[in-house]
Amino acid sequence: MNIREKLFESAQRAAANAYCPYSRFAVGAAVYADDGRIYCGCNVENVSYPVGTCAESGAIAAMVCGGGRKIIEMIIFADANKLVSPCGACRQRIKEFSAENTLVHLADAGGIRKTFTIDELLPFSF
Ligand code: THU
């Protein structure tokens, strides 16, 4: 299994653990970091809705805590009719830990459907 296949499997597995009783929209994110490791996150909702966190946020926090500092590539996964694309806040979070060639893949159960650079997702960023 190559690293992208492992990343996909990790994102899919993360989504299966999502805590999303309010939206019922499970999202998983997996980051392949500059330390050669894969870090995952899922969305974690809360009865106080704004307190909920996105899958990307969890994966990035895990990466930073584990010692990773740059995202080489990442996959955002949802088993849904519509591809899941990171929210504005998460685009900024991804940007913080991206290099020029960092790739963000959007995936569903069929695999990777679209790939973007962070500059495409967040042009002219701060
Ligand atoms: N969500 C993510 O975790 N990542 C995204 O990129 C988009 C949305 C979550 C937030 C919320 O728990 C649920 O999906 C529905 O919006």
Side-chain angles (χ1 to χ4, degrees), residues 88-109:
C90 284
R91 288 173 196 219
Q92 185 67 43
R93 290 189 180 99
I94 295 165
K95 172 71 189 181
E96 182 73 17
F97 298 101
S98 286
E100 240 170 62
N101 51 357
T102 294
L103 297 178
V104 180
H105 307 286
L106 311 186
D108 62 18

Side-chain angles (χ1 to χ4, degrees), residues 56-115:
E56 297 89 327
S57 186
I60 289 169
M63 178 191 80
V64 172
C65 187
R69 280 297 179 271
K70 280 278 179 252
I71 301 168
I72 295 170
E73 56 185 294
M74 70 184 291
I75 295 180
I76 305 164
F77 174 94
D79 189 3
N81 301 328
K82 214 178 147 237
L83 268 186
V84 63
S85 179
C87 74
C90 284
R91 288 173 196 219
Q92 185 67 43
R93 290 189 180 99
I94 295 165
K95 172 71 189 181
E96 182 73 17
F97 298 101
S98 286
E100 240 170 62
N101 51 357
T102 294
L103 297 178
V104 180
H105 307 286
L106 311 186
D108 62 18
I112 290 172
R113 299 295 191 187
K114 272 185 189 299
T115 298

